[in-house]
Amino acid sequence: MEQQPLVSFIIPTYNLPESLLRECIDSIMSLSLREFEREIIVVDDGSKRAAIASLTDLADTIIYIRQRNSGLSAARNRGLQNASGRYIQFVDGDDTLVSNLYEHCLDIARFQQPDMVMFDFCRKQAKQYSYDDLPAISGSDLMRHNNIRATACGYLFKATTMGNLRFTPGICHEDEEFTPLLLLRAESVIRTSAPAYFYRQRSESITTSKNLRKMLRRLNDFKAVIYRLNDLCTSAFSIERSSFTSLDRLALQRRVHQLTMDYIYNVIVETRNKKYLDRQLNELRSRSLFPLPDKDYTKKYTWFRRLTTNKIGLAFLFRTLPLIKRER
């Protein structure tokens, strides 16, 4: 009888240097997982040169899927269609797992079997780290009292917890929508401060591009995600594992408010256009998302909310927030 893998690792890739993709896969293969315990799914999202050309020696070790270029969300969804592991781990093709620290996340999954394991990121790899674990709590409780990191790669989660949840295709900021809805489905989340994921930020990535057209697309997609999450707060939304409770609603509302603050901040620093900002604030106001509600979330939220309630405060933000230079 064929055993179910413990983890399905889903790696989307698009026009990546061969060395980076190889390094990503090697970091997974160096884990203590036996071959039947791991499933490595590489989804080539229409790269100009098929990624498998540089991975022929791994043909019997990985599942390779090539599709027409459709974006990160579609690539991840395609990987989920083919995943059979008890747990799912997304790994972007230009990043790596920090093997000795990710082993700790695997131990949590093996021995405590939570719905989700939440771990930290690093931008510089070191041999020794100290870290702590926190007791398991529900995802709803986590979201009600904390700001979350939306990046889907920062969570090892049970496939059954996800249910029919998938990424919305064709948008930027897809994680901002997927991750909070995933957390609401999780009855047990164990957080560890172990920086088990090495994040490599490349200047040519979608999220770092300063091109005007791409920047406006990111902002519009971000706003659309906020609207969809806000609509769920006011609808008869339900999740597979349990009904959508009043506490779940509060958790999602906090996330919507936090994202709205982030959106206003990004409009200021990326456009430097007061007329554009006024239009966006009026649109947010029409959906009862502005002014930001008076909530005691964080000091940053409190001060930002106060400054955005009047013209003097907004003018101060325009003068003091960092300027992002845009490519032409």
Side-chain angles (χ1 to χ4, degrees), residues 8 42 89 99 104-105 146 193 204-205 213 222 243 250 289 323:
S8 291
V42 176
Q89 176 67 61
S99 299
H104 179 61
C105 301
N146 301 274
S193 62
E204 63 269 32
S205 70
R213 180 177 58 81
F222 196 6
S243 59
L250 288 174
L289 290 171
L323 172 67

Side-chain angles (χ1 to χ4, degrees), residues 63-78:
I63 298 172
Y64 175 80
I65 302 168
R66 181 170 169 83
Q67 65 179 26
R68 180 180 299 178
N69 180 243
S70 305
L72 178 60
S73 291
R76 284 176 170 172
N77 288 342
R78 187 72 179 276

